[in-house]
Amino acid sequence: MKATNQKQEHTRSYYAATVNEITNYPVLEGKKTVDICVVGAGFTGVATALTLAERGYSVALVEANRVGWGASGRNGGQIINGISGLEKIRKKHGASVDELIWDLKWRGNDIIYDRVQKYGIQCDLKSGFLEVAPKASQVRYFEEYAAEREAHNFPYKYEIWDKEQTRSRLGTDAFHGGFICYRDGHLHPLNLCIGEARAASNLGVQIFEQSPVIDIEHGDKPKVKTASGYVEANAVVLAGNAYGQFEPKVLSNLVFPAGSYIIGTERLDDKTVEEINPLDVAVCDVNEVVDYYRLSADKRLLFGGACNYSGRDPTSIKSYILPRMLKIYPQLKDVRIDFEWGGKIGIVLNRIPTVGRINQNVYYCQGYSGHGVTATHVMGEVMADAVAGTLERFDLFADMPHFRIPGSQWIGNQIIALGMLYYKVKDSLG
Ligand SMILES: Cc1cc2nc3c(=O)[nH]c(=O)nc-3n(C[C@H](O)[C@H](O)[C@H](O)COP(=O)(O)OP(=O)(O)OC[C@H]3O[C@@H](n4cnc5c(N)ncnc54)[C@H](O)[C@@H]3O)c2cc1C
C-alpha cells in the first residue's frame, strides 16, 4: 500500500470548537497483537471496532490523525436512513431480499439511537429530518416515501407537508413541499464519533492516534505497520474512505474524493429561530447535488452544500456557500459567519459502497457517496459480522460489480465532475 504521512489536528469547524473531549490516544509504538486491527477512526472504523469489542474480540484501532478527523467529524450531522445504492442491490436480487434491504435501510438509525443511550453520549441528538422539493415536480417523491413506509408498517411518525405548511415551518418560499420523518434526525457528529470511540476504549479497544499506517504485510496474520510500530492481527478492516490510500492495486480508482462544504452562522436570536426552523429539524433538498442545513444546539445555522469534484478546495468556502444560504434565507444577509470548513466525501460511480476483502483476511468498506452517518454504522456491523465469518449482508455488497475508471485519480475526478455537471444543470432546470 502507498505510504501516507499526514498527521493533523482537527479542521477548524464548529464541531471541533464545541467538542466534549479532546482526544489524546497514544501513538502506536512497538508490537501489538490483537484479534482484529481496524485502520481509520471515522464512523466506519469506530463502529466496526465498537461492535467487535461488544462481541468480545480484542481490537486495535489505528488512526493517522485524530478520532473523527475525516468526514465523520465534519459532516452535516444529518441522520438519514438508508445506504446509497441499496435499490440497485434489491433490483439485482429481487423480492427475496426485500425485508433484508428494508432492515439494512433502518439499521443505522437503530444503532445510533441505541448507542447514544447505552453509552450516554452527549451529541445533541434530535429527531426530525425534512426532505424538501425545490421543484414542483419533485413532490411526487414524497408520496412514494409514504407508500413505502405504509407497506412496511413503519412504526415511527412521518408526514407530507404541502407548500404552505413547508413555508410556514421553514420561513422560506423556496420549496414546494416536504417530507418529514421522525426516525431520522440530526446530531453533533464529532461528539458522536468521539463518544463511540470512548465507549470502545472502555471496552478494551486499543486506540492509537497520530499513527498513519504506511504498509500492510499480508499473510495468515497480517501486520499493519506505522513508522514506529505494528499491529499483528488475524484480520484487518480498512476504513479510510475518501482519505485512505490503501492497497492501490485493488482499491484505486473506485472511490473518488469530492469536497463538500459547510458554513456556520453566529447564534441566531429567538425570533429568527422561530421564523426559520421552530421544530428544529434537519433539512435537505432532494436534488442530485444537495443543499442541507440545520440548527446547532446553540442555535447557529449550519448550512452545507455544493460539491467540488476538481480535487481543489475553493479559496473562500464562505463565498462559495453563502449565496446558496441567502437564496433560501435572504433575511439572514446581515448575519455573521463564524465558521467555514470542508471535508471529503467518497463518491462511487454506481453509488454502492465498495466492500470486499483482499487475501481472505484484509477487509475494506468505503464510498458512501455523501450519505454516510447511518450507513457507516450499519457497515461497521456488517464488517464485524464478516470477520467472524457471517457473510450474508457483506456478500450483498461485495458481489456488486464496480466500474474502475482507467488512468489516474485526476482523470477519474474529471469524469465524475462532468457527470455531476450534468446533474447540476438538471437540478437548475425548473
Ligand atoms: C462536509 C460533509 C458533509 C456531510 N454531510 C453528511 C450528512 O449530513 N449526513 C450523512 O449521512 N453523511 C454526510 N456526509 C458523509 C459522511 O460524513 C461520510 O460518509 C462518513 O463520515 C464516512 O465515514 P468513514 O469513517 O468511512 O470515513 P472518514 O470519517 O473520512 O474516516 C476515515 C479515517 O481514516 C483515516 N485514515 C486515512 N488513511 C489512513 C492511514 N493510512 N492510516 C490510518 N488512518 C487513516 C483518516 O484520518 C480518517 O480519520 C458528509 C460528508 C462531508 C465531507
Side-chain angles (χ1 to χ4, degrees):
M1 65 175 283
K2 197 167 159 188
T4 118
N5 223 357
Q6 31 170 304
K7 268 193 200 175
Q8 295 169 28
E9 296 300 333
H10 288 291
T11 197
R12 289 157 58 99
S13 67
Y14 163 75
Y15 301 128
T18 53
V19 81
N20 291 333
E21 178 192 346
I22 295 175
T23 59
N24 191 16
Y25 292 101
V27 169
L28 174 63
E29 272 167 3
K31 177 185 176 182
K32 311 281 171 200
T33 306
V34 290
D35 296 329
I36 317 291
C37 178
V38 181
V39 182
F43 284 143
T44 304
V46 172
T48 305
L50 179 51
T51 309
L52 286 165
E54 286 172 338
R55 295 176 183 177
Y57 289 86
S58 67
V59 183
L61 176 59
V62 187
E63 164 57 44
N65 304 295
R66 296 278 171 210
V67 168
W69 174 90
S72 301
R74 308 173 187 214
N75 62 58
Q78 308 218 342
I79 306 174
I80 310 167
N81 71 83
I83 303 175
S84 74
L86 270 187
E87 196 43 37
K88 289 179 183 153
I89 298 180
R90 200 184 65 76
K91 273 195 185 130
K92 178 177 173 191
H93 294 274
S96 65
V97 297
D98 251 11
E99 284 312 309
L100 191 53
I101 295 288
W102 182 251
D103 288 348
L104 276 169
K105 199 166 176 171
W106 294 99
R107 183 68 195 132
N109 299 54
D110 295 346
I111 294 171
I112 291 172
Y113 282 109
D114 288 353
R115 289 207 169 130
V116 165
Q117 196 188 30
K118 180 172 173 188
Y119 298 112
I121 299 171
Q122 304 295 314
C123 60
D124 311 327
L125 176 60
K126 286 259 175 166
S127 103
F129 165 68
L130 175 72
E131 282 182 85
V132 288
K135 292 192 281 186
S137 60
Q138 293 164 328
V139 297
R140 73 175 190 280
Y141 300 147
F142 304 148
E143 298 290 346
E144 290 167 21
Y145 298 169
E148 197 189 21
R149 283 167 175 76
E150 236 170 80
H152 286 90
N153 294 320
F154 186 65
Y156 303 100
K157 188 175 163 194
Y158 58 88
E159 288 165 354
I160 295 176
W161 292 354
D162 65 20
K163 186 167 170 61
E164 176 48 28
Q165 285 166 318
T166 311
R167 192 203 58 73
S168 72
R169 288 162 188 167
L170 290 186
T172 173
D173 278 327
F175 308 117
H176 292 265
F179 181 90
I180 182 137
C181 176
Y182 288 95
R183 187 58 177 166
D184 291 326
H186 59 103
L187 47 65
H188 187 305
L190 184 54
N191 277 336
L192 175 64
C193 197
I194 285 174
E196 292 178 311
R198 177 56 57 198
S201 166
N202 289 341
L203 287 176
V205 173
Q206 300 178 59
I207 301 179
F208 302 100
E209 292 186 316
Q210 302 278 291
S211 303
V213 169
I214 50 174
D215 192 21
I216 294 176
E217 191 180 304
H218 290 275
D220 287 348
K221 289 197 179 283
K223 291 194 181 83
V224 174
K225 296 181 173 174
T226 67
S228 55
Y230 69 94
V231 181
E232 189 176 88
N234 297 326
V236 174
V237 177
L238 301 176
N241 200 29
Y243 293 95
Q245 294 182 320
F246 312 119
E247 303 294 336
K249 275 194 193 141
V250 181
L251 298 182
S252 62
N253 293 347
L254 285 172
V255 172
F256 295 90
S260 185
Y261 305 95
I262 299 180
I263 53 176
T265 68
E266 64 182 304
R267 292 174 188 201
L268 303 177
D269 58 46
D270 293 349
K271 188 170 154 284
T272 309
V273 168
E274 193 53 31
E275 182 187 330
I276 68 166
N277 196 351
L279 298 178
D280 198 2
V281 297
V283 183
C284 183
D285 68 38
V286 294
N287 283 338
E288 288 288 340
V289 182
V290 296
D291 283 341
Y292 50 90
Y293 61 92
R294 68 187 186 91
L295 294 168
S296 61
D298 61 359
K299 306 301 173 210
R300 300 167 187 276
L301 185 63
L302 304 182
F303 190 101
C307 231
N308 185 339
Y309 299 86
S310 69
R312 287 186 306 275
D313 287 338
T315 29
S316 163
I317 291 171
K318 178 179 156 187
S319 315
Y320 191 53
I321 298 294
L322 188 59
R324 302 174 86 96
M325 182 181 107
L326 294 181
K327 199 171 155 201
I328 296 170
Y329 291 119
Q331 62 269 51
L332 299 186
K333 68 177 182 347
D334 296 325
V335 164
R336 197 181 64 234
I337 302 301
D338 283 347
F339 296 96
E340 50 184 312
W341 73 93
K344 285 194 177 111
I345 55 181
I347 305 276
V348 183
L349 274 184
N350 65 5
R351 297 294 191 267
I352 304 166
T354 55
V355 169
R357 59 182 160 168
I358 305 164
N359 293 340
Q360 290 306 311
N361 54 14
V362 176
Y363 296 75
Y364 58 87
C365 178
Q366 53 178 15
Y368 305 97
S369 299
H371 177 182
V373 173
T374 59
T376 47
H377 284 78
V378 194
M379 296 317 285
E381 194 174 72
V382 171
M383 300 314 280
D385 287 352
V387 295
T390 303
L391 295 166
E392 188 189 15
R393 295 188 298 177
F394 176 89
D395 282 343
L396 277 183
F397 293 91
D399 287 348
M400 293 303 286
H402 285 280
F403 183 68
R404 194 184 297 273
I405 295 181
S408 69
Q409 184 86 36
W410 185 86
I411 293 174
N413 267 60
Q414 303 317 305
I415 292 174
I416 298 271
L418 261 179
M420 293 320 287
L421 182 66
Y422 163 79
Y423 283 121
K424 272 188 201 167
V425 172
K426 197 165 158 249
D427 285 344
S428 67
L429 298 174

